[in-house]
Amino acid sequence: MIKKLTYHWTIQELVTIGVFAAAAKVITMAVALAGGGMNPVTLLIKNIIFTTFFIVMLYKVKKSGTMILFTFVSMIISLLLMGAEASTAFGMFLASFIGEFFILIFGGADKKYAAIAGVAAFDLFYRLLSLSIAYMVMRETPEIVYMVAPIIAVGYIGAVIGLFTGVKAVKELRYAGIVRS
């Protein structure tokens, strides 16, 4: 298992991770702006796109730690663009480690369904950790957290749909020669 964790990223892989992180963030932000804010349809589409990009990137760069690096770059881009990730950065970063752990449990980054399991775990734990942190901060008025929970649930439904669209996108991109293996 330790042998699987010793590696070096190539320049091409680092650029791929950065481009996918930036593209996912910019496109989801454009969808939110075009949709007129955070309505349920926009939130659903935003999460579908982000999860699809996440899965395609994990299939393109099949190395341990890719999820953590993608999440870190994505958090930096969000902080620079919107400043919104400051409150949820800890939950997102911790969820990326949990997602990487699930990838290792499912056989490593080069296995077929490991990326799907890792992204599914990331999405679930990111939302649970964010809600938990919000609840701890707002424990005097937990009603605010209760109002946000359905919104997060809609986003999670979009992430689950994104798992399926990500697999479909990977299949199509294999035909195009963009994703190999």
Side-chain angles (χ1 to χ4, degrees), residues 1 4-5 7 54-55 57-59 61-71 95-122 125:
M1 187 156 130
K4 286 184 180 181
L5 297 177
Y7 58 87
F54 209 170
I55 288 179
M57 189 266 319
L58 285 174
Y59 271 91
V61 182
K62 291 188 170 196
K63 289 190 177 177
S64 296
T66 302
M67 180 179 285
I68 296 168
L69 186 59
F70 176 84
T71 304
S96 68
F97 280 97
I98 294 170
E100 282 289 340
F101 179 70
F102 271 80
I103 289 173
L104 284 175
I105 288 174
F106 277 80
D110 53 347
K111 297 299 180 189
K112 187 173 183 179
Y113 293 106
I116 298 164
V119 172
F122 168 81
F125 283 101

Side-chain angles (χ1 to χ4, degrees), residues 90-166:
F90 178 72
M92 183 180 255
F93 203 58
L94 188 58
S96 68
F97 280 97
I98 294 170
E100 282 289 340
F101 179 70
F102 271 80
I103 289 173
L104 284 175
I105 288 174
F106 277 80
D110 53 347
K111 297 299 180 189
K112 187 173 183 179
Y113 293 106
I116 298 164
V119 172
F122 168 81
D123 282 328
L124 177 66
F125 283 101
Y126 169 55
R127 283 159 175 80
L128 290 175
L129 289 168
S130 295
L131 271 176
S132 300
I133 291 169
Y135 186 79
M136 286 190 307
V137 170
M138 299 289 191
R139 64 181 174 258
E140 284 87 24
T141 55
E143 293 81 18
I144 295 173
V145 177
Y146 300 152
M147 291 185 327
V148 173
I151 297 168
I152 291 176
V154 169
Y156 183 68
I157 291 168
V160 170
I161 295 169
L163 293 173
F164 297 105
T165 59

Side-chain angles (χ1 to χ4, degrees), residues 3 11-12 25 49 76 81 117 119 153 159:
K3 187 177 179 183
I11 297 296
Q12 181 182 3
K25 228 13 128 169
I49 291 170
I76 290 174
L81 287 176
V119 172

